[in-house]
Amino acid sequence: MEKKKYYITTPIYYPSANFHIGHCYTTVIADAITRFKKMNGYDTFFLTGSDEHGQKIEKKANEAGVTPKEYVDEIIENAKDLWKSLDVEYDRFIRTTDEDHIKTVQKIFKKLYEQGDIYKGEYKGLYCTPCESFWTETQLIDGKCPDCGREVTEVSEEAYFFKLSKYQERLEKYIEEHPEFIQPVSRKNEMINNFIKPGLEDLCVSRTSFTWGIPVTFDEKHIVYVWIDALSNYISALGYLSDDESKFKKYWPADLHIVGKEIVRFHTIIWPIMLMALELPLPHQVFGHGWLVINGGKISKSLGNYRDPREYIAEYGVDAIRYYLLREVPFGSDGQFSEELLLSRYNADLANTLGNLVNRTLSMLTKYFDGTIEKSNITTEFDEDLIKIVTGTKEKVQDYMEKLEISEALDSIFEIFRRCNKYIDETTPWILAKEGNFDKLKNVLYNLLESIRIGAILLSPYLPSTSKEILRQINTKEINYEGTDKFGLLENNIHINDYKPIFMRIDSKNESK
Ligand code: MSP
């Protein structure tokens, strides 16, 4: 049977040498979802990339005395390096300066022009350069950009416009009839009430006042508005309107666009209207997540609260960071980031609950049975409850992931490890050893390792290297996801590998003073 496909995207990031932990948020989540879907048998395609055109970049390049292309080329490796250090495995890293993307955007623009959805006019209005957004007088807050609060400038130029107004009713109807399209539901209401119902104005989609962008093929002094350029990446990356549309045919429509809450508007108004005009199906879902904040506010280098995420990775390990990003904040809400919170999550969950459990169990097996796992028939009264929790987790995780409740999914896997720790307290293996009750002890240690094995497999989308290391230490070949709702697949008579604690407790900086 042909595999079901799953196409997932992150936003394409503005090229920056100053990525912070907030930028890692979407990408790590998208990576975990992709790995989870892959584990469930889907043929996945995970797209990320960089959004390299626009006046902001042109300005920065001028200041640096280089061409915009030289400027972006130099810093783009920074993003790729960051994703690599976070164990993010994407299928394509698209750059909006890629030749194939440029060609597709030009074809899209021409097609929309030829069919009358894009027309030429005169633009007079207010533009926020940092946000690359046009605003009307009434949308401003205290005369400033409603998104970032900075000054807007008045511009007047010949420009092309995209007929958003023509599609307003169709879009509103679509959103109402497809409640899963904009998630969480609060963001859907915001879009309908604040943006669509008040009326959509036609959108200015070309600029002539700067040159760093994709030229309009039939009117070369114009360049394509960055958001038309950027949003097109989701289909250009698959070869839409190219000589080879096979990926596009296979993967489009996207199953999930994950975006930060401030760019939901572009993804649920401009993007679906572009697709409607191109007569293409709409993505299944746009999920607008919250922001990571520090002390309730923005993360930014200028505020001095910024550290390169790679510094945290060097200090705590990649999975400590992945765990924090995936576990700490319910997906959809804003959430705090601080090193104290990172450390307390690390110590409580990774070092105490998981690390300690694995280490204690392997140490006992070494001490009492020279490291050989053996089954026995002498059960304890606590086995049934342990087995029930362990074998029920696969389905629970699936249910949570279906709803994109990632933090809850991860927590339910940790429920296995918490239950194992309780099982150790209940069965007191050291007393069984002292009493010479070795058959019962074999069974207890087997059950613990079997539970850890299942938990480690389920963990693999979230903490891939930890999962791998636990399974290596156990030395099991039973690493398939399919059997994780069955208890007892762990091989009899295998000898564990060398092992060391996977997460050591770290004293907090305050405590160690
Ligand atoms: N280039 C546009 C996206 C175009 S998509 C067709 C853009 N780039 S960005 O670099 O500014 O932001 C990329 C993503 O990072 C956004 O989804 C944004 O919400 C996210 N984040 C930036 N700071 C963040 C936090 N502090 N917390 C969580 N996400 C954050 O927008």
Side-chain angles (χ1 to χ4, degrees), residues 102-114:
I102 293 173
K103 283 205 178 109
T104 296
V105 170
Q106 289 178 324
K107 284 181 191 163
I108 290 174
F109 201 93
K110 188 154 179 265
K111 189 169 155 70
L112 296 180
Y113 177 71
E114 281 169 355

Side-chain angles (χ1 to χ4, degrees), residues 11-14 20 22-23 51 227 230 234 260 262-263 289 291-292:
I12 47 173
Y13 294 78
Y14 294 125
H20 56 63
H23 290 117
D51 185 358
W227 273 98
Y234 300 130
E262 84 285 15
I263 56 172
H289 65 71
W291 289 337
L292 280 190

